Amino acid sequence: DLSKMKLSIAASLLCLAASVNGFAPKSNVRQATSLSVASSPTAPSTASDSADWSPSSWNNKVVAQSPNYEDSEELQGAIDRLAKCSPLVFAGEVRTLHEQLARACSGQGFVLMGGDCAEAFNEFNVDHVRDTFRVILQMALVLTFGSAMPVIKIGRMAGQFAKPRSEPDEERDGVKLPSYRGDIINTEEFTEEARRHNPMNMIEAYHQSAQTLNILRAFSTGGYADISRLHAWNLDFVEQTDEGSRYRQFATKVDESLRFMKAIGVDTSTPAFTKTDFYTAHECLLLPYEQALTRKDSTTGRWYDCSAHMLWVGERTRQLDGAHLEFTRGIGNPLAVKVSDKCTPEELIQIIETMNPQNIPGRLSIIVRMGAEKLRKNLPGLIRAVQREGKSVLWISDPVHGNTRKTENGFKTRDFDNIRAELRAFFDVHDEMGSHPGGVHLEMTGEDVTECVGGMSNVSEETLADRYNTYCDPRLNGVQALELAFLIAERMRVRTGLPPIDA
């Protein structure tokens, strides 16, 4: 009827505005720095402004998950070489991300973080980077439409090489060797030489990261991110679904919006629709590598870790008196910390005050990884403490890490239904608490792997072995990741007051 038609047109216009803002590169001109990047003269201050912090002050703290490098001269040689290398990212890019995250803190944005569990040297190729980048962009388009707000796209790539381990050693057939800690430290083969903690691996990780960033920059600005192309790829996805499914209905709404834009004269071939901002992030785990790539911006005088735009501290390295919080508190990058059900409200407030003492919006995100049941029980208390203390944080859901299990035939896997349940719990809790569910963090790939069971791709425990390619934890494949984006978008659409897709 007429009222429904009016609502539909209004929704399309809202999504039009959100799509343009979410996919448009920043065009603000700022003062140039010696790094040839944009600079904000009013960049927020950090602990690096104080006399008790330096890029190396973490050495005075206890370092959790530290590699055991046997040759200190070899280690110093690798650090010295890295210190002479060009930055991988630039201060102006970092500050632009910070600005976008600050808006998300106030409910004006949603973060999509995705990528491999751990990058590997022998898996690197252009197609692998392209496929993951493509799926993230496809997901972002769906989420933009669903939320009617900009989606901040961050890849777990160009630096996600190191992995924490529960045990320092691994034993096979009576032979004990150091555990595989990620290619930046040692390699997967079960030999004494491969498992040696080799500082020269940091050099190879740097060069692979540089190549990855070159590929990402080319794809994000060279027309590959064209909004019409992304929608066409999403239509390929919905063709796999049943006739009349909610995915088809959703795609139809997006298609109507794009047709409407063109009909009223909006030129979708302009940069606002063909280019996109894309950022990188990884776990701040290997501190010698991070220190070597930390640079002082000559315009602001502040330190930035130029290995990535954003860094996070993991559940196993977030000790209040530890080296990782000491290092991150002094850099100007946006930060995140992962918390599980083990984190108390009091501890979280202490972490926030350490990492973001000036309570700067966009500076700190809290990535929650608990499992659905524990999240419903524990997240309200964390949110309540943050609200009570007036802290500015961005809440992000990591629905994969709390849902890992091992099958009877020895495969680590994750159930799609459990991942969806944790995301539903995340949104439910934020609805109850009146807070903003600010993002999602996924281990995923654009490839057609069979590592997580369930979802539209019909991966089962029996088919896990078909294409189980991960060196580390199981990842959502491209179809599973996109299906999850549609489900999140439906929930966000209702939350933002837009009519449901089937209305």
Side-chain angles (χ1 to χ4, degrees), residues 57-342:
S57 60
W58 62 268
N59 286 285
N60 301 320
K61 304 284 186 175
V62 176
V63 187
Q65 297 284 329
S66 178
N68 180 25
Y69 293 118
E70 298 170 349
D71 189 332
S72 59
E73 288 187 8
E74 185 183 27
L75 171 61
Q76 191 58 51
I79 292 172
D80 290 344
R81 283 182 61 183
L82 282 171
K84 295 175 182 176
C85 290
S86 301
L88 290 170
V89 304
F90 300 102
E93 297 171 342
V94 172
R95 284 193 283 270
T96 299
L97 172 60
H98 192 161
E99 291 166 4
Q100 295 179 9
L101 292 171
R103 287 194 290 271
C105 275
S106 65
Q108 300 304 309
F110 188 86
V111 170
L112 172 61
M113 300 180 72
D116 279 320
C117 167
E119 295 171 282
F121 295 158
N122 62 1
E123 280 191 344
F124 174 73
N125 62 72
V126 174
D127 290 350
H128 180 74
V129 176
R130 179 203 62 204
D131 291 346
T132 301
F133 175 73
R134 183 192 69 206
V135 172
I136 290 174
L137 292 189
Q138 289 178 256
M139 296 171 71
L141 177 59
V142 172
L143 292 170
T144 300
F145 187 91
S147 65
M149 65 178 65
V151 172
I152 305 162
K153 299 165 285 296
I154 305 174
R156 282 176 56 111
M157 51 182 76
Q160 182 56 23
F161 290 101
K163 294 297 291 182
R165 280 292 175 255
S166 302
E167 298 295 334
D169 298 311
E170 177 185 357
E171 187 170 342
R172 297 184 191 176
D173 301 322
V175 177
K176 182 180 285 188
L177 293 174
S179 296
Y180 172 56
R181 303 276 298 273
D183 281 8
I184 198 170
I185 296 173
N186 56 5
T187 48
E188 172 73 12
E189 295 77 24
F190 195 73
T191 66
E192 189 172 345
E193 177 58 27
R195 293 299 178 91
R196 180 178 81 93
H197 293 180
N198 185 352
M200 301 311 293
N201 285 19
M202 292 190 289
I203 307 298
E204 187 169 352
Y206 168 85
H207 288 297
Q208 180 170 316
S209 297
Q211 292 183 71
T212 301
L213 277 159
N214 283 340
I215 295 166
L216 292 171
R217 287 187 171 113
F219 282 142
S220 62
T221 61
Y224 193 77
D226 189 303
I227 195 169
S228 299
R229 186 196 299 264
L230 298 179
H231 180 56
W233 288 330
N234 284 349
L235 290 178
D236 291 339
F237 164 81
V238 299
E239 284 299 318
Q240 304 173 44
T241 67
D242 296 333
E243 194 71 39
S245 71
R246 60 182 180 271
Y247 304 110
R248 288 185 181 242
Q249 292 174 14
F250 202 110
T252 299
K253 296 287 187 183
V254 177
D255 195 47
E256 288 173 357
S257 294
L258 290 174
R259 290 176 185 273
F260 178 74
M261 286 191 287
K262 291 177 181 178
I264 63 173
V266 176
D267 184 2
T268 58
S269 65
T270 61
F273 293 95
T274 59
K275 298 182 179 182
T276 189
D277 290 336
F278 194 87
Y279 304 99
T280 62
H282 62 255
E283 181 175 359
C284 180
L285 188 60
L286 186 56
L287 293 177
Y289 178 80
E290 306 300 343
Q291 177 189 332
L293 288 171
T294 299
R295 305 282 189 271
K296 179 178 278 192
D297 177 39
S298 60
T299 299
T300 63
R302 298 191 176 97
W303 293 94
Y304 290 88
D305 185 343
C306 296
S307 69
H309 299 103
M310 182 180 188
L311 295 106
W312 74 83
V313 177
E315 168 77 9
R316 300 178 188 180
T317 53
R318 58 173 178 77
Q319 295 84 4
L320 289 165
D321 58 351
H324 292 82
L325 258 59
E326 170 62 23
F327 174 77
T328 53
R329 77 182 179 93
I331 57 176
N333 306 61
L335 304 172
V337 61
K338 286 200 173 186
V339 299
S340 71
D341 59 296
K342 299 173 185 175

Side-chain angles (χ1 to χ4, degrees), residues 318-494:
R318 58 173 178 77
Q319 295 84 4
L320 289 165
D321 58 351
H324 292 82
L325 258 59
E326 170 62 23
F327 174 77
T328 53
R329 77 182 179 93
I331 57 176
N333 306 61
L335 304 172
V337 61
K338 286 200 173 186
V339 299
S340 71
D341 59 296
K342 299 173 185 175
C343 184
T344 65
E346 295 75 21
E347 184 183 15
L348 180 61
I349 295 301
Q350 289 180 292
I351 291 171
I352 293 170
E353 290 178 344
T354 300
M355 300 180 79
N356 187 20
Q358 293 181 304
N359 204 27
I360 301 165
R363 163 77 172 165
L364 183 61
S365 298
I366 309 298
I367 303 176
V368 182
R369 42 160 294 185
M370 296 184 184
E373 247 180 72
K374 291 179 179 177
L375 186 144
R376 289 186 185 277
K377 178 182 177 183
N378 293 281
L379 182 57
L382 299 181
I383 295 174
R384 194 175 295 114
V386 166
Q387 291 173 333
R388 182 180 62 246
E389 298 296 326
K391 300 301 183 183
S392 178
V393 302
L394 184 66
W395 296 98
I396 297 175
S397 170
D398 171 358
V400 295
H401 276 94
N403 292 297
T404 308
R405 64 179 178 87
K406 186 167 280 191
T407 65
E408 290 184 2
N409 51 358
F411 286 101
K412 283 174 72 175
T413 191
R414 291 159 173 159
D415 291 86
F416 185 87
D417 287 345
N418 292 340
I419 293 170
R420 180 171 55 187
E422 180 161 351
L423 274 169
R424 183 180 293 121
F426 179 74
F427 278 93
D428 286 348
V429 169
H430 281 288
D431 283 347
E432 294 165 7
M433 301 298 296
S435 46
H436 176 53
V440 62
H441 180 119
L442 301 171
E443 287 187 350
M444 49 163 283
T445 176
E447 298 177 346
D448 185 24
V449 298
T450 53
E451 297 169 4
C452 294
V453 298
M456 273 178 43
S457 57
N458 293 320
V459 180
S460 64
E461 290 192 18
E462 291 70 30
T463 61
L464 282 174
D466 292 355
R467 293 176 300 282
Y468 195 92
N469 301 333
T470 183
Y471 281 91
C472 200
D473 290 334
R475 303 161 294 176
L476 295 165
N477 61 34
V479 171
Q480 290 169 326
L482 194 52
E483 182 179 2
L484 209 58
F486 273 94
L487 295 170
I488 296 170
E490 284 185 310
R491 179 63 183 263
M492 293 172 71
R493 190 173 174 85
V494 173

Side-chain angles (χ1 to χ4, degrees), residues 21-76:
N21 291 334
F23 281 83
K26 299 294 287 184
S27 58
N28 297 342
V29 177
R30 297 193 183 92
Q31 180 182 348
T33 71
S34 62
L35 297 177
S36 298
V37 299
S39 170
S40 169
T42 56
S45 59
T46 64
S48 60
D49 298 320
S50 62
D52 66 340
W53 186 92
S54 74
S56 61
S57 60
W58 62 268
N59 286 285
N60 301 320
K61 304 284 186 175
V62 176
V63 187
Q65 297 284 329
S66 178
N68 180 25
Y69 293 118
E70 298 170 349
D71 189 332
S72 59
E73 288 187 8
E74 185 183 27
L75 171 61
Q76 191 58 51

